[in-house]
Amino acid sequence: MSHQTVIVLDFGGQYNQLIARRVRECRVYCEVKPYTTPLRELRAMNPIGIIFTGGPNSVYLDTSPHVDPEIFTWGVPILGICYGCQLMAHALGGQVTEAQDDSAREYGKTVTYYDTSCKLFQGLPEEGVSWMSHGDYMARVPEGFSLVARSDACPNVAIADEVRGFYGVQYHPEVNHTEHGTDMIRNFLYHVCGAEGDWTMEDYKRTAVEAIRAQVGNGRVLLALSGGVDSSVVAALLAEAVGRQLTCVFVDHGLMRLNEGDEVESAFSRWDVNFVRVDAESRFLLKLAGEAEPERKRKIIGEEFIRVFEEEARKVGSVEFLAQGTIYPDVIESGAGDAAVIKSHHNVGGLPDYVDFKEILEPLRLLFKDEVRQLGRELGLPEYLVSRQPFPGPGLAIRIIGDITKEKADTLREADFIFREEIAKAGEDQNLNQYFAVLTNTRSVGVMGDGRTYDYTLALRAVTTSDFMTADWARIPYEVLDKISTRIVNEVRGINRIVYDITSKPPATIEWE
């Protein structure tokens, strides 16, 4: 690529993805590389800046990760975060020790005072809250460094050698808890590294289309299209690049939300591609008949999906390329260096040998989820696909407690649609990260039209979360819940009671099964 590049050198920090996302949000391209990456490979990337991540180790131990000191001679600005700050200090002649005094250890939100004459803090308030997480202490900072931030407990919260462009902070500017943290990263990128902000999805779309055309040539591409955000954007990108050379196989297992299959098919009608929609509802329901155990449901659906895909792939015949929706978090979490191979095998696991492909296409493998969504918009995908919430592969099967029937699936589809429609009408969709309905296996007595009913209880679930690892139940206004409940009971046959799930994760999970 021709973009300016920043390298995020990973020393095992839990926030490495978040650092990279913050850099990308500032319209600067970056890649996360393990600290073991050979220096010649890093230098060949011609970075305008380098960021050392945090990590769980103590830099003064021989077993801790280190970096070749040559990297400090390149004339490239470096920002060290937490462990990265201590690593810089240690490598350049400072001294890092275990904090002997409890007051020198800092964890959590900490009031911090900044020297705003430093480029890192230029234009920011002189006082703010930063997120600390360190038990080691810089007893001596390297020669040439100044102290540019402090807290009540620590005099060297941040250090800077502005002549060489080296900066270190003992807190985490990448997390939301640090006030103006993203602004600090932006200052490093623009005021120190000289970034021009040349990373946009419009430009990525253009370069990606050109690269795909060059790689594919006259070859044929096969894509298993789930209708999720990642696979939909891959399909749109490939359609733009190679058109009729692409075959999308969309397996409709009959467990999608209301009208979702039609929406996916309609979205791809604008492109001249081979779009194959397989109506497999009856065969999936037959396989699931009488099965109530959640894990068995998942396995049945996964195995049957492969069988259907096998049949359709056989009709397509030999293809040179198999496309996947791998995105950058998959690559990072799989271990950067070997991620492409590991992820490829994971994603195509179980595919038949006769699907003859030479290469795997992963055109999103350098993008974060928010970038994937923006690329989808650049490609003209409708917003209902681009902004689609996380939806489990087994679909409604794991939102129907107990055994699955077509009648139950249809009932849940209608109720879930009303829930989502009313949430959107109230503008609450902007405040929620995931929301859906669950058809429980519980029946209860009700009264409708002066008559006794004995119907299902429907549970509503809505959460707010930043990472889906933890989540809090959403405080939907009572009047909105009231309207949703009234509509569902009045309009959907078979449901006479609505409950709202107010359990956070943990102890619960987001999905019920």
Side-chain angles (χ1 to χ4, degrees), residues 432-444:
L432 309 177
N433 298 106
Q434 193 169 357
Y435 52 99
F436 54 89
V438 176
L439 186 64
T440 75
N441 204 27
T442 300
R443 290 190 172 194
S444 65

Side-chain angles (χ1 to χ4, degrees), residues 79-80 112-130 132 146-150 156-162 166-173 178-189 191-192:
L79 171 62
T112 306
Y113 310 95
Y114 305 103
D115 178 355
T116 56
S117 67
C118 173
K119 290 181 180 178
L120 206 61
F121 310 120
Q122 188 175 335
L124 305 181
E126 295 182 348
E127 179 181 328
V129 172
S130 66
M132 298 286 190
S146 301
L147 304 182
V148 292
R150 64 178 177 83
N156 48 27
V157 165
I159 58 175
D161 180 341
E162 300 214 87
F166 295 160
Y167 298 81
V169 297
Q170 296 215 78
Y171 56 89
H172 289 273
T178 296
E179 295 175 343
H180 304 289
T182 299
D183 293 327
M184 296 172 193
I185 292 173
R186 182 179 292 108
N187 280 348
F188 174 71
L189 297 172
H191 298 331
V192 180

Side-chain angles (χ1 to χ4, degrees), residues 440-447 452-458 494-498:
T440 75
N441 204 27
T442 300
R443 290 190 172 194
S444 65
V445 174
V447 178
R452 178 185 185 274
T453 63
Y454 189 63
D455 288 327
Y456 286 106
T457 298
L458 184 84
I495 296 174
N496 67 357
R497 190 179 299 271
I498 311 294

Side-chain angles (χ1 to χ4, degrees), residues 17 25 37-38 45 116 122 139 172 228 231 300-301 339 377 387 390 413 422 434 455 457 468:
Q17 283 192 43
E25 287 169 4
T37 305
M45 295 174 67
T116 56
Q122 188 175 335
H172 289 273
S231 69
I300 289 170
I301 291 171
R377 295 184 182 100
S387 299
R413 255 188 286 271
E422 290 300 328
Q434 193 169 357
D455 288 327
T457 298
F468 288 91

Side-chain angles (χ1 to χ4, degrees), residues 135-151:
D136 287 335
Y137 175 75
M138 285 187 291
R140 185 179 72 250
V141 300
E143 185 177 347
F145 281 78
S146 301
L147 304 182
V148 292
R150 64 178 177 83
S151 67

Side-chain angles (χ1 to χ4, degrees), residues 120 233 329 408-409:
L120 206 61
V233 173
K408 287 183 179 180

